[in-house]
Amino acid sequence: MRRPLVSVVIPAYCQAEFVGDAIRSVLMQTYSHSEIIVVDDASPDDTAKVVDQFDDQRVKLIVHEANRRLPAARNTGIEASTGEMIAFLDADDFFHPDKLQAHVEFLLAHEDVGVTYNARFELNHSSTTVREIWRPPSTVGLVDLLLGFPFAPSDMVIRRNWAFQVGLFDPAMGSAEDTDFPCRLALAGCKFAAVDQVLNYRRYHSGRGRQNLAQRLRYVERAQAAIFAEPRCPPQAIAIQNTAVKHHLMVIVSLALLQGETELAQEAI
């Protein structure tokens, strides 16, 4: 088999219920010159057994002997990949059939772009019916990434060289890897651009809530502080330092209230 152009990295922990759908959504792509690397992060459930049921040479399974958390699982998948482009897919999300075709065509036509992302379908709780569409801006920069989350990992496709140029995901940033990684890319000069289509589906289910929100806020503050401390950090980013922390605090408070963690929300305020 010739070397695939696109590698789809799927980190999975206790995702036996959903990972099969994620894999099938990649196998059913209109663009098939790809590989799928599932990293089972020492799941105690049947995640690995579900992956093993796929009799397709494009599907590769790597199992961590001990749980190393999400950033490390993503890194394992990236390091094992061979594609020039890397698409991220959370194990409880899934792709629209045209996802990879649209991103590949865009990246081949725009050599200056290092990361593409797209709009996504937000699904109703514990359902496959669509609640709304999340539409990100057409392009983003460091300031946008410091202030919030214009796109999620499952929305992204990145050129391989950019992922390695910034040293992959940083496990020290814990659950704030979705803040840290894009910010470091922007700081390094990576250009981001949107593919103007709705190309993946984000599930909401009982196991998807943010765990340990107080720790999440500390990780985000650590990630932001590291970016602001960089000599390369531009003045327009430095200028929003206090605002950026407050934006993330508002997100944490909102999540705490949604998850019934009223005491935490009150303490954060």
Side-chain angles (χ1 to χ4, degrees), residues 81-141:
S81 70
T82 60
E84 294 177 22
M85 304 172 188
I86 299 170
F88 300 117
L89 177 57
D90 288 347
D92 46 2
D93 293 336
F94 56 99
F95 284 165
H96 182 281
D98 295 332
K99 164 85 175 192
L100 297 183
Q101 183 74 46
H103 281 263
V104 167
E105 289 179 355
F106 189 97
L107 285 166
L108 290 178
H110 300 83
E111 295 184 359
D112 59 325
V113 174
V115 172
T116 48
Y117 54 90
N118 56 256
R120 66 176 181 266
F121 294 104
E122 301 271 273
L123 302 181
N124 285 306
H125 181 77
S126 298
S127 172
T128 57
T129 58
V130 176
R131 181 182 70 202
E132 61 184 2
I133 294 175
W134 172 270
R135 292 190 180 278
S138 59
T139 188
V140 299

Side-chain angles (χ1 to χ4, degrees), residues 12-81:
Y13 179 73
C14 291
Q15 294 294 338
E17 181 179 359
F18 300 117
V19 69
D21 287 343
I23 294 170
R24 276 186 288 273
S25 77
V26 183
L27 294 177
M28 294 170 63
Q29 290 291 298
T30 54
Y31 183 87
S32 60
H33 187 33
S34 63
E35 65 178 356
I36 304 168
I37 301 173
V38 183
V39 181
D40 179 0
D41 196 23
S43 300
D45 69 354
D46 290 333
T47 293
K49 187 179 295 185
V50 172
V51 179
D52 276 334
Q53 291 174 356
F54 286 88
D55 184 19
D56 192 303
Q57 62 180 346
R58 290 174 290 172
V59 181
K60 303 173 184 178
L61 173 64
I62 300 172
V63 180
H64 284 171
E65 293 184 3
N67 182 259
R68 294 167 54 188
R69 308 296 295 275
L70 182 57
R74 291 197 203 280
N75 288 346
T76 295
I78 295 170
E79 289 166 345
S81 70

Side-chain angles (χ1 to χ4, degrees), residues 157-217:
V157 177
I158 182 172
R159 293 188 191 273
R160 180 184 189 83
N161 62 305
W162 273 110
F164 281 93
Q165 183 172 324
V166 299
L168 308 185
F169 289 86
D170 184 355
M173 294 301 172
S175 60
E177 96 287 346
D178 51 1
T179 296
D180 171 67
F181 185 61
C183 283
R184 285 190 287 114
L185 285 165
L187 197 62
C190 180
K191 183 177 179 180
F192 297 76
V195 174
D196 191 20
Q197 297 181 54
V198 190
L199 293 169
N200 47 279
Y201 300 78
R202 184 173 178 85
R203 293 184 195 266
Y204 289 88
H205 53 86
S206 58
R208 189 152 201 166
R210 286 284 188 184
Q211 306 299 316
N212 200 337
L213 288 172
Q215 184 183 64
R216 161 74 177 180
L217 182 58

